[in-house]
Structures are given as C-alpha cells and as structure tokens.
Amino acid sequence: MAHIEMDPQRWKQEVLKKYPKKVAKKREKSIVVHDGAEVLQKIQANVRTIPGIITQRGCTYAGCKGVVLGPTRDIVNLVHGPIGCSFYAWLTRRNQTLPPTPESENFMNYCFSTDMQDSNIVFGGEIKLKQAVREVFEIFKPKSIGIFSTCPVGLIGDDVHAVAREMKEELGINIFGFSCEGYKGVSQSAGHHIANNALMKHVIGLRDEAPKGKYKVNMLGEYNIGGDAFELERIFEKCGLTLISSFSGNSTIEQFERAHMADLNVVMCHRSINYVAEMMEKKFGIPWFKVNFIGAEATAKSLRKIAEYFGDQELIDRVEEVIAEEMVIVKKELEVIYPHTQGKLAMMFVGGSRAHHYQELFTELGMSTIAAGYEFGHRDDYEGRRVIPTIQIDADSRNIEELTIEADETRFNPRITEERKAELESKGCGFNDYEGMMVDMAKGALVIDDLSHYEMEKLIEAYHPDVFCAGIKEKYCVQKMGIPLKQLHSYDYGGPYAGFGGAVNFYKDIDMIVNTSIWKMIKAPWEAEPVIEAEFAV
Amino acid sequence: MLLRHTSDTIIEREALTVNPAKTCQPIGAMYAALGIHGCLPHSHGSQGCCSYHRSALTRHYKEPVMAATSSFTEGSSVFGGQANLLQAVETIFTVYNPDVIAVHTTCLSETIGDDVNQILQKARDENYVPAGKYVIHCNTPSYVGSHVTGYANMVTSMVKYFSAKSATKKDQVNLICGWVEPSDMREIKRIAATMGAKIVLFPDTSDVLDTPMTGKHEFYPKGGVTIPELISTGDSKYTIGLGSFCSEEAATLLENKCKVKFSIQDLPIGLKATDRFLVALSRAAGVKVPDSITEERGRLIDMIADMHKYLYGKRVALWGDPDTLVPLTEFLLTMDMKPVYIVSGTPGKKFEESMKSLLTEKVPEAKYKNGERADMFLLHQWIKQEPVDLLIGNTYGKYIARDENIPFIRMGFPILDRVGHSYFPAVGYTGAMRLLTSILNAILDKEDRECREEKVELTM
C-alpha cells in the first residue's frame, strides 16, 4: 500500500469535520499537532468522554480494583455488586505473582463477589456484604480483605467503610473499603486515586520493622504484567538494591505495611501512583522521583539515577558493572534486529504512562512514534507536572477525595537534606517531577487524548503505521485493516518488557510483528489478477 | 497449586460467590445485538461496563466487537442519563451510521430508574434518529438473572420492536437461536438449507464474529439478521425456539403479537437433541430430512459405537449455561458417560427439572445446582471430594484442570485461551462428532502421557 504522507493539521481538520458541531469543538482541544516549540502546547485531558463516541476508556472500579489492588496476592478482593464487575476483572490483567512457598497465600486466581440481587438493591446490601466478609474469613482465613464498591452500591447508600470497620472489629483482621463506583471520575484514573488514598489510610506504615539490606527502595506504579516485576527484581538484586515494597506487582500486604521504611520511592507509572509518592513524602519524608524501566537505555539511566541518589561509590560502581554486563546482551540482540525495524513507524494509544514509556523502546529499534496519546492520562502526563497548578478542577475531579496529609509525629524523617536535594537536582535528578510525554516527541507528531475509534481508523488510513499499539478492544479492528497491533496492556500474552531482559523480548516481538508473512497473503491469487485464461473461458 | 485455598470441606455459604459460573446481563444483550445486521450495541451506563463486555467478547472471538457507551459520570447518576443517551444517539448516527442502535441498560441506569423507553421516544420525536434508522432497547439489570437473561431480553426486544403481521403469510419458519457460537448458527443454517427449509434465524452472529481478513475493517460485517427479515418473522408459519432460557420469552411474545405458533426445543447439541430439532423443523417447514443428513447421523452413531469403551462410565464435571448444559448432559448420557457434577450460575427452575429427569435414574449420585452460589468453587470442592475423569466448560476450568490433572474440554463462554469454537460447530451431528473427537483426544492424550511405558498402545 502506498505510504501517503498527510499533513497532520489537515488530518485533524478532516477528522473533526465528521463530528457533530459540539462534539468537534470538544475533540478539537484533545488533538494537538506538536509544534516542536520549547513551551509545550496545552492539551485537553482527563475530561468526560462524549457519549456514543466509542472510547478506549474503562471505569473507576477498573482502575482501583483491577489496576492498583489487583496484583497483591494475599488480600482477598471482595467485590460488592452484581456479578459482572468481579467476573470481568478475574485474572484478565495478567498480573503475575510468585508466592515464596506452596503454602503461601495467593488469592489472585480467585474471584470474590457478593453477587447482588434485586432484593439487595431494594432493601440494601450491607447485611449480605457483612455475611460475605464473614464467609471469606471462615473459608479462606486471609490477613486482609478489601471491599470494592460497584455502581449500585453508592446509589443505594450501602456504606462499605462502615461495614469494613465493623467487620475489622469483629474478625480482628485488616479490612478496608473503596468507594470506587464505576461512574466516579471520567476514567480509570479516578480509581487509581481512590486506591492510593485507601492504601495510605489503612495499610502503609502499619509495620515498623526495618528490613535488612542497603539502599532501600520502593518501586511504585509497576504491576508485574507479563513478569515485568520479576525482571526488575532480578536487576535490583544484582545491583545490590533492597526492594522494600512494590506497588503493586508481585506484592503482599506486609510489603505495603512497611513501605515507609524505605529511603526512596521510584515511580514508574506516574498516573496511577503519584498520589502515594506525594503522600509518603509528606508523611514520612521519603523523596520520590520518576524512573522508567521500559527500554534498555532508560533502564540504565534510571539505575544510575538511583545510585546517584544514594551517592555511595560502591553502589555507583556496581550499577555501572551491571549495566555494562547487561548491555552486552542487549546490544548483541539489537544489532541483528535493528536493520529490520529501522525507519518504521509506530503509533501508541494506551494507558497513562505506557504510551510514553514505550516510545523509548521504539527509539532503540530505530522506529519513530508519529502519533501517541493516553487513555486516561491527565495534562501533567502530557505536559509535565509543572502544569498541575494551572489545571482547572472540574466537578468530576472534585468528587474524588484529596487526603490532607501531615508529617507523622514520630516517624517523619527527611531522608536527605535540602542541600543534597538541590545538588542532586542540579545533576538532573528531578525530584517530585515528571516531564510528561510531549517533551520527548518530535515536531509534527500527533498527540491525541482519549482517542475515539473513528480517529483511530482515520489515523491508520492516512499514515499506515508499521505497528499500532493499543489494547484488546482495538486489536482486531486494526489487524483487519492489515496493520499489526501490539497490545501494551497485556503484551499479547508475552513479556516481560521491562528492564534489560524485557527490552530484548520486546525487540524480538516487534521484529516478529514487522516480519509476519501472513499480511502479504491477504489477497487471493484470483483477486490480485484474473486467473481464468482466455482459452478456458466458455 | 493455582487454587491452593480450595479444600474438600464444604462450608455452607449464604452471601459469598467464589469463581462464578455466570456473568451479568448486559454482555448477553450486547452479544445478541451483534446478531442483527448493521447494528451498533449501546451500553447505557458507566464506561467500564461497555469496555469490559467488548474486551470479554473480543478475547473470546479474536474479532472486532464494536459497541458504544453512555459514559455516565457522577452527575448523570444524580440527574439521570437522558442527556447522555440523547448525545450518544446523535454522535453514533453522525459518526458511525448504523441501521439500528440496540440499547441495553446496566445496573447503574436501572438503579437510578432511567426510563429508556421514554428517552428513546424523545430521541425519535426530536429527530435524533434519521429516517429509515432504528433505535431499540431492552432492560438488562445486572442484579437479575445472568448473561443468559440479557441475551434473552435483547432477543425478545427484537420481536417487540420489529416482528409485524401483514396480510400474507410467508412460507418460512422462525428459528430463535439460543446463545451459541457463530459456527453453530452457520451450521444450523446449513442444516436447514440442506433440508430445503426456509428459515429466518435470529439472532445470527455468523459472518459478524468470524469475518475474513480482507485488509479492510468492515464496521458492519455482512452477517446478521436483517431488519426486513426480522419484520417478516410476524408472517412466518411457525417458530422454533432453541433453548428455553434464551428463546421462550421471545417466542411467546411473537405468538401473542403476531399469532405465530411455536415450540421450544433444546439446542441441537448431541444425538437426541439434534434428532428432535430435525423432526421439529421437518414438520414446521413441511420438508423431509434428506438422506445426506441421515448419513451424518449414521457416522456419528458409528463413531460412538467404535469408541464406546473409552467413554463408558467416565465421570464428567460441567459448568456453563442451562441451554447448553441440558442437551450436553443428555449427549454424555447417550454415550454412557456419567455427568456427575453440574453447575450454572444462571437461575431458573427449568434447569433443575431437566437435570432431574435426565439424571435421577441413570446417574443417581449426580450433584447439580444452579443460581446464586452455584459456582466453580463449589464444583471444585465436589471434585476434591470425589474426582472426575473429564471437565467441560469455559476457560476458567483450566485452573482446576491443572491442579487436579483432569482432561479438559473448552466449551461455553468465555473461551479465552484457545481458538476454533467460533469456526467449528458443536451443534448438529457433525458438531457432535467434533465434541466427541475433543473428548476422546483429551482422555486418550492423558492416557498416552501417563500410562506405564509397557502399557503404551499403538492402536486405540
């Protein structure tokens, strides 16, 4: 198929023409053609999706239960609601977990629900919820139970928090509730915030035991999809870093409880977990900065940043050794694959960080990202945290609780001095900062928030990328158009893609994708040209 | 162990469901609506519902599943979803231009009491619906019934909105199809065509969820029952509903509305159910069952007879939907297998009645349960108490299969980790042969893998 380069501004105008006037006016602000200027353009994000537009987005419950709390193996996640919400979140996100012994608790393969019936909707569901909590305790004996609210729960006035308190008292284990009804906020993002709040209120800081080991770090916003956390654990261990807790890939509630014993929080997925990072700094004095372990170069850079923070020559040297050792393998693989992928085009519309992080991997493959956007990002994920003070708080954001956090009376302990912080910052260790996606994108690239199905088809028609990255709902639409789609939520059931080993896996998978033979065979021989020779014709 | 907390000690539960053998209504309505040609399903609720349903259906079919949502926010939950639905109808017709939008509700819009009927009337009155286009709806509160109920409700709504009686009867039979795969719908149409029976099959997801790769994404694929066909169902001479849970309500409404008589048959899964279906269709359409189909039947009987020794007395656990489980249980009994444990999350007395009449005499030890808390956790506990030789059900069974080392056939919804179900039928005699082949392969593969070396057989 001929590659027809269309001016992105013209593309934008043509796409908007299709929409009803009001809709076009709204979408206009969410589609930005990157002008390459230093001062980044404003993009509209984290606003309501237009009904009927066919969005990639999901709901608050998905962000809370599915994303943030889903990967912890020893909390029973009890969903209070009709059966569907729990059913659809049952093992579908591919968070892997590795219980240390055959006896260790692991509830992740189970699906728990109160299966609300119409009588519960009419007369209230609290009694059933309490009974379900008791039954979970009696049958499974967990250390902890999380209760997740679905749409009808808030509407009928069931108080999951009161039930959690009462049951905690009665059963003597940690039980906490989440008001993560699907209609709150405008996307999964509100659910991340709600999950962060509850972890801060009910879990983080409960265990003051200081774990052994040097260079204590929490990994925030890493969900062990396809085993990403396993690869990062391997690298951390090799470098001599001590991972205190992971939010929340391959995690346990005990790890969360002692997360405040760490000396640094590193943030992977800014969107889903920045609230915990901010709150832990205020309460316990643990600084945080952004890292990215997607891409070999990015992994190396992030490791160096961590070593620099601790400032210990032994660690700095060890990290360099590890990077040198790992990069040998990475470069060897890349050398073979690069010629196959170089110059190809990618587009990615996924998540609240992934559409940024994965650009690193494509850059390493010599591919350019000509269009990207988030499904549930905020303006700061595009333009950087500096815009946060200028973001208007609308009705949908206002109804998500903002916790007021104060320094812990006994346990607040600033891990580094202001002077040291300033020194590190001058070396590029940007604390409390995330620069966002757009700064890394090229002039002329299209940045689109909350991409609609229609816009997706038009992008493909106009630019024929070599690979389109999105999720399961988009996968087969794009592939029917003859363009391979790489799922960046589920990794197409592959991975890990994080760290050095993950980068190699990704190179290989993209190599495989752009070298798939079957795409060239879509047309039957008789469609390509007439096969009936004149002599056989009647 | 994957399900390491499951033990054989059964503690009675009154409130807790663990590992459900059902999901909620709206996904069934979405699936059924995809069986109308040129239809865009629309979920009137939070975005998550639509996203989850599209994802689940996509993972099952490995095909595009298009649907839209009203994208409720907290504001719409307080003030009602009218503005959202009107906006959705306008956006959808302008951007995606379907022939029909099929709206279903969710627990959210049901709990706040949105009157979708009234909202859609307003949409029509205020010209949000272009001439010649349709918006239909059904109520699918997630806290009633199951995904099966939602399917039935959307099918009923097809009759409610479209079926019409004109002055002239049509020489055709309505087949209201229960929840089966596109491959099964295609097979039912093939059987009818082979018999020379004129039918209208609805819904019909063949050529919608099993489309060819062409280099173009057909937003509205060529398959699906058309609106004129649906309208004409009111003039048909007879209706056969396949599977009472999914089709009885629609068939009853069609009789009340257009005086089309009906009978309800089991889904034609297995020998006897296929026999009954063919007899019913033969009578209703006034056509004979041709020799070619009798020969298909003969081949099935031949295969069962040949392989009987590997089937006889084998204990089977199954889970899924009543309309499938009933004829499947009957088929296993036909082959002298023993369906010992059966669960379905879908409520309804008919399940118990059917199972009772099938099993009481032949497998008195059988345990079966449906409705609330008839879940895969209970099924697994029964298996822990006394094991089985075979599992038949959706993908979630793989966790039990691995822990207990039991051969496992995937059947039902959803199948997330294998393909084939959407392309190769389970209905009719050839479908039964495919089922039988899968059963034998699973049982014999285990035998080959695990029997002592000196016992390995070349010929089986």
Side-chain angles (χ1 to χ4, degrees):
Chain A
M1 205 177 279
H3 178 79
I4 306 150
E5 192 69 53
M6 188 195 253
D7 171 53
Q9 281 295 357
R10 206 182 105 214
W11 179 88
K12 177 176 171 178
Q13 293 319 316
E14 283 192 12
V15 162
L16 292 174
K17 258 189 237 161
K18 177 83 173 178
Y19 289 130
K21 231 181 184 164
K22 239 172 53 194
V23 175
K25 210 176 145 197
K26 195 166 174 195
R27 285 305 298 157
E28 202 269 328
K29 296 182 205 134
S30 294
I31 304 174
V32 168
V33 180
H34 201 324
D35 62 10
E38 207 157 289
V39 178
L40 294 172
Q41 295 138 285
K42 184 174 167 181
I43 184 167
Q44 174 178 263
N46 193 35
V47 296
R48 290 177 191 178
T49 299
I50 296 149
I53 202 157
I54 306 192
T55 172
Q56 299 182 302
R57 283 175 168 176
C59 66
T60 301
Y61 159 81
C64 182
K65 195 268 179 188
V67 174
V68 181
L69 268 299
T72 309
R73 63 176 166 266
D74 56 356
I75 303 176
V76 165
N77 287 340
L78 173 60
V79 179
H80 186 36
I83 197 68
C85 304
S86 197
F87 180 85
Y88 302 114
W90 183 13
L91 286 168
T92 45
R93 271 187 56 80
R94 296 195 68 232
N95 316 109
Q96 299 181 354
T97 200
L98 190 60
T101 71
E103 290 73 39
S104 309
E105 289 168 302
N106 179 13
F107 301 113
M108 278 170 63
N109 297 326
Y110 290 87
C111 169
F112 300 93
S113 170
T114 57
D115 187 14
M116 282 177 113
Q117 300 296 304
D118 44 358
S119 60
N120 308 130
I121 300 293
V122 176
F123 302 112
E126 289 187 13
I127 292 171
K128 189 173 193 183
L129 174 60
K130 282 181 206 171
Q131 182 59 23
V133 170
R134 288 189 191 105
E135 288 169 7
V136 165
F137 182 73
E138 195 185 357
I139 299 168
F140 296 94
K141 304 278 181 315
K143 296 184 194 84
S144 175
I145 300 171
I147 302 167
F148 298 83
S149 307
T150 61
C151 289
V153 170
L155 300 171
I156 63 172
D158 273 5
D159 186 344
V160 297
H161 306 288
V163 170
R165 277 194 301 274
E166 192 186 325
M167 287 294 107
K168 187 176 173 176
E169 185 87 354
E170 182 181 315
L171 304 174
I173 58 167
N174 195 2
I175 301 176
F176 37 89
F178 298 85
S179 291
C180 54
E181 286 84 353
Y183 55 76
K184 291 202 169 151
V186 300
S187 71
Q188 293 95 312
S189 167
H192 304 145
H193 196 164
I194 290 163
N196 281 221
N197 286 348
L199 284 174
M200 202 63 202
K201 269 201 255 185
H202 302 292
V203 186
I204 295 168
L206 289 181
R207 198 175 284 260
D208 278 333
E209 303 154 7
K212 285 181 195 128
K214 277 174 153 179
Y215 320 123
K216 295 177 193 134
V217 179
N218 292 326
M219 167 79 75
L220 269 53
E222 203 309 304
Y223 301 108
N224 201 20
I225 296 184
D228 278 350
F230 299 150
E231 166 67 0
L232 297 180
E233 286 167 12
R234 179 187 74 83
I235 295 171
F236 273 40
E237 202 185 322
K238 201 169 168 185
C239 292
L241 297 165
T242 307
L243 191 62
I244 301 296
S245 75
S246 156
F247 290 75
S248 49
N250 195 30
S251 67
T252 62
I253 189 161
E254 272 190 32
Q255 291 180 10
F256 294 162
E257 288 169 352
R258 56 168 184 250
H260 64 298
M261 306 303 285
D263 294 321
L264 174 68
N265 280 332
V266 296
V267 172
M268 270 285 281
C269 175
H270 171 260
R271 182 67 272 134
S272 60
I273 208 83
N274 75 88
Y275 317 95
V276 158
E278 283 281 291
M279 290 187 282
M280 279 177 77
E281 176 154 27
K282 277 189 193 143
K283 190 165 179 184
F284 300 109
I286 307 172
W288 73 268
F289 55 64
K290 177 82 180 67
V291 289
N292 176 20
F293 290 106
I294 302 295
E297 294 293 344
T299 301
K301 197 173 149 192
S302 298
L303 288 172
R304 290 192 175 112
K305 207 166 156 182
I306 296 169
E308 188 71 48
Y309 167 81
F310 287 105
D312 194 334
Q313 198 56 43
E314 185 195 331
L315 177 66
I316 293 170
D317 292 345
R318 180 64 194 143
V319 161
E320 288 306 327
E321 272 169 42
V322 171
I323 292 171
E325 201 182 308
E326 299 277 335
M327 283 309 254
V328 172
I329 308 163
V330 170
K331 286 202 173 126
K332 201 177 136 215
E333 294 287 348
L334 193 56
E335 225 163 76
V336 182
I337 292 166
Y338 191 86
H340 309 164
T341 51
Q342 184 196 11
K344 295 201 184 286
L345 303 179
M347 293 184 175
M348 59 204 77
F349 291 89
V350 62
S353 284
R354 289 179 190 271
H356 180 196
H357 289 164
Y358 276 79
Q359 294 189 28
E360 294 263 359
L361 274 170
F362 282 111
T363 304
E364 288 173 6
L365 287 163
M367 297 175 66
S368 34
T369 304
I370 55 169
Y374 297 125
E375 186 180 330
F376 46 78
H378 296 198
R379 273 186 64 205
D380 37 317
D381 302 304
Y382 289 101
E383 302 168 58
R385 282 183 73 92
R386 58 175 184 81
V387 301
I388 289 177
T390 67
I391 295 176
Q392 251 178 340
I393 306 293
D394 60 14
D396 300 308
S397 300
R398 202 170 295 123
N399 63 35
I400 310 302
E401 187 185 12
E402 278 288 347
L403 295 185
T404 316
I405 300 289
E406 278 165 22
D408 191 279
E409 276 179 28
T410 54
R411 297 180 295 176
F412 179 80
N413 166 26
R415 303 310 203 265
I416 52 171
T417 62
E418 285 304 317
E419 295 79 53
R420 173 78 180 139
K421 210 171 180 180
E423 187 196 332
L424 285 167
E425 285 202 328
S426 69
K427 289 183 184 171
C429 222
F431 287 98
N432 308 65
D433 195 21
Y434 173 44
E435 290 190 310
M437 166 203 283
M438 283 168 79
V439 71
D440 286 333
M441 292 191 72
K443 185 178 173 181
L446 275 157
V447 185
I448 306 172
D449 185 63
D450 188 17
L451 183 83
S452 75
H453 176 85
Y454 174 72
E455 290 157 13
M456 179 176 84
E457 294 221 343
K458 291 288 137 189
L459 272 179
I460 290 167
E461 280 172 21
Y463 298 102
H464 312 295
D466 297 286
V467 58
F468 193 94
C469 303
I472 184 70
K473 301 193 291 291
E474 295 78 34
K475 174 145 181 119
Y476 301 101
C477 309
V478 172
Q479 296 203 161
K480 286 280 191 237
M481 299 171 84
I483 304 284
L485 185 141
K486 180 71 198 162
Q487 292 187 64
L488 288 188
H489 295 279
S490 73
Y491 303 172
D492 289 310
Y493 324 105
Y497 291 149
F500 300 108
V504 171
N505 287 339
F506 193 77
Y507 303 156
K508 286 181 177 169
D509 283 356
I510 296 301
D511 187 31
M512 173 183 78
I513 281 176
V514 296
N515 285 302
T516 304
S517 310
I518 199 71
W519 301 115
K520 299 180 194 91
M521 302 169 205
I522 292 174
K523 284 265 177 277
W526 50 91
E527 286 176 314
E529 52 184 308
V531 290
I532 302 175
E533 296 292 334
E535 58 196 284
F536 297 123
V538 181
Chain B
M1 297 284 262
L2 295 165
L3 299 167
R4 57 182 65 189
H5 302 284
T6 307
S7 79
D8 60 0
T9 314
I10 296 177
I11 293 171
E12 197 61 37
R13 287 174 280 144
E14 290 166 19
L16 178 68
T17 293
V18 186
N19 301 350
K22 67 168 173 183
T23 181
C24 65
Q25 279 211 47
I27 196 170
M30 187 181 282
Y31 178 56
L34 290 165
I36 303 174
H37 179 72
C39 176
L40 187 70
H42 181 85
S43 165
H44 187 50
S46 300
Q47 277 158 193
C49 309
C50 186
S51 180
Y52 276 136
H53 303 148
R54 288 182 65 204
S55 298
L57 288 164
T58 305
R59 289 184 187 116
H60 179 84
Y61 288 110
K62 319 294 179 206
E63 284 288 313
V65 174
M66 303 314 303
T69 165
S70 289
S71 293
F72 269 62
T73 57
E74 189 146 5
S76 8
S77 307
V78 175
F79 300 112
Q82 174 169 299
N84 293 52
L85 189 48
L86 293 176
Q87 171 73 69
V89 170
E90 188 196 10
T91 311
I92 290 169
F93 278 123
T94 314
V95 182
Y96 299 108
N97 195 29
D99 295 337
V100 46
I101 301 173
V103 180
H104 61 262
T105 58
T106 58
C107 49
L108 168 51
S109 52
E110 287 291 334
T111 304
I112 64 171
D114 265 0
D115 184 347
V116 174
N117 205 23
Q118 171 267 316
I119 299 171
L120 294 182
Q121 197 46 54
K122 191 175 164 75
R124 290 180 203 104
D125 295 345
E126 295 179 8
N127 299 319
Y128 285 90
V129 184
K133 305 275 184 179
Y134 301 88
V135 186
I136 67 171
H137 92 284
C138 69
N139 294 88
T140 49
S142 320
Y143 42 77
V144 175
S146 76
H147 57 293
V148 172
T149 324
Y151 181 97
N153 285 339
M154 184 52 84
V155 175
T156 305
S157 142
M158 293 175 199
V159 172
K160 190 175 115 193
Y161 274 94
F162 293 118
S163 302
K165 192 177 165 62
S166 75
T168 40
K169 273 269 175 204
K170 274 201 153 77
D171 181 22
Q172 64 183 25
V173 174
N174 301 323
L175 291 183
I176 305 182
C177 197
W179 187 324
V180 285
E181 300 291 346
S183 51
D184 297 318
M185 298 183 182
R186 192 183 293 283
E187 177 66 0
I188 290 168
K189 289 192 291 186
R190 183 192 70 88
I191 292 169
T194 310
M195 291 170 72
K198 291 196 187 72
I199 59 158
V200 176
L201 179 82
F202 71 96
D204 178 6
T205 57
S206 64
D207 286 318
V208 178
L209 291 166
D210 56 355
T211 62
M213 173 78 78
T214 59
K216 187 168 185 278
H217 172 220
E218 298 290 349
F219 199 97
Y220 303 107
K222 74 171 185 184
V225 64
T226 64
I227 304 296
E229 283 169 340
L230 277 175
I231 294 170
S232 80
T233 56
D235 290 329
S236 298
K237 52 185 185 181
Y238 197 72
T239 299
I240 299 172
L242 297 174
S244 65
F245 280 75
C246 282
S247 71
E248 187 156 9
E249 201 188 331
T252 310
L253 179 66
L254 191 46
E255 180 172 38
N256 293 341
K257 193 178 173 189
C258 304
K259 308 278 172 283
V260 183
K261 295 255 177 272
F262 73 92
S263 75
I264 301 297
Q265 302 292 332
D266 286 322
L267 281 167
I269 294 170
L271 179 74
K272 289 183 182 173
T274 304
D275 285 352
R276 290 193 299 273
F277 166 63
L278 292 177
V279 170
L281 182 58
S282 162
R283 280 189 191 141
V287 293
K288 281 194 173 149
V289 181
D291 292 348
S292 65
I293 290 181
T294 312
E295 285 158 11
E296 285 176 24
R297 183 180 190 276
R299 284 195 287 271
L300 170 63
I301 304 261
D302 189 63
M303 196 177 174
I304 296 173
D306 292 348
M307 292 289 122
H308 184 257
K309 74 166 268 203
Y310 300 108
L311 304 166
Y312 183 81
K314 291 279 189 296
R315 291 163 55 85
V316 190
L318 17 155
W319 63 98
D321 304 340
D323 284 347
T324 310
L325 290 173
V326 169
L328 182 61
T329 299
E330 184 188 50
F331 182 44
L332 297 174
L333 291 169
T334 304
M335 301 188 290
D336 298 323
M337 300 180 82
K338 283 190 167 185
V340 282
Y341 309 135
I342 309 161
V343 296
S344 173
T346 300
K349 280 207 179 73
K350 273 214 169 110
F351 174 86
E352 205 184 323
E353 289 162 14
S354 304
M355 288 302 172
K356 202 172 169 184
S357 74
L358 284 169
L359 293 164
T360 307
E361 226 170 276
K362 284 194 158 177
V363 191
E365 70 271 35
K367 292 179 183 181
Y368 45 85
K369 190 179 169 184
N370 72 316
E372 276 185 88
R373 294 175 294 284
D375 50 34
M376 290 176 67
F377 183 67
L378 175 67
L379 184 88
H380 192 179
Q381 290 189 304
W382 285 341
I383 293 168
K384 289 261 187 204
Q385 291 178 342
E386 198 181 343
V388 294
D389 303 299
L390 181 70
L391 301 171
I392 306 179
N394 68 21
T395 281
Y396 285 101
K398 81 191 276 177
Y399 293 79
I400 301 176
R402 188 179 146 116
D403 277 0
E404 310 296 337
N405 189 22
I406 303 170
F408 170 38
I409 309 291
R410 287 158 180 82
M411 188 172 175
F413 181 83
I415 296 171
L416 309 169
D417 59 340
R418 295 291 188 274
V419 291
H421 47 275
S422 56
Y423 301 114
F424 306 107
V427 299
Y429 302 123
T430 50
M433 288 175 78
R434 178 178 159 257
L435 264 179
L436 174 52
T437 308
S438 313
I439 291 171
L440 282 165
N441 287 348
I443 291 174
L444 297 181
D445 280 349
K446 183 175 194 278
E447 180 67 19
D448 279 345
R449 214 168 37 236
E450 295 182 354
C451 72
R452 293 204 312 272
E453 276 192 8
E454 68 275 22
K455 292 287 178 189
V456 171
E457 292 290 344
L458 174 71
T459 311
M460 286 172 134

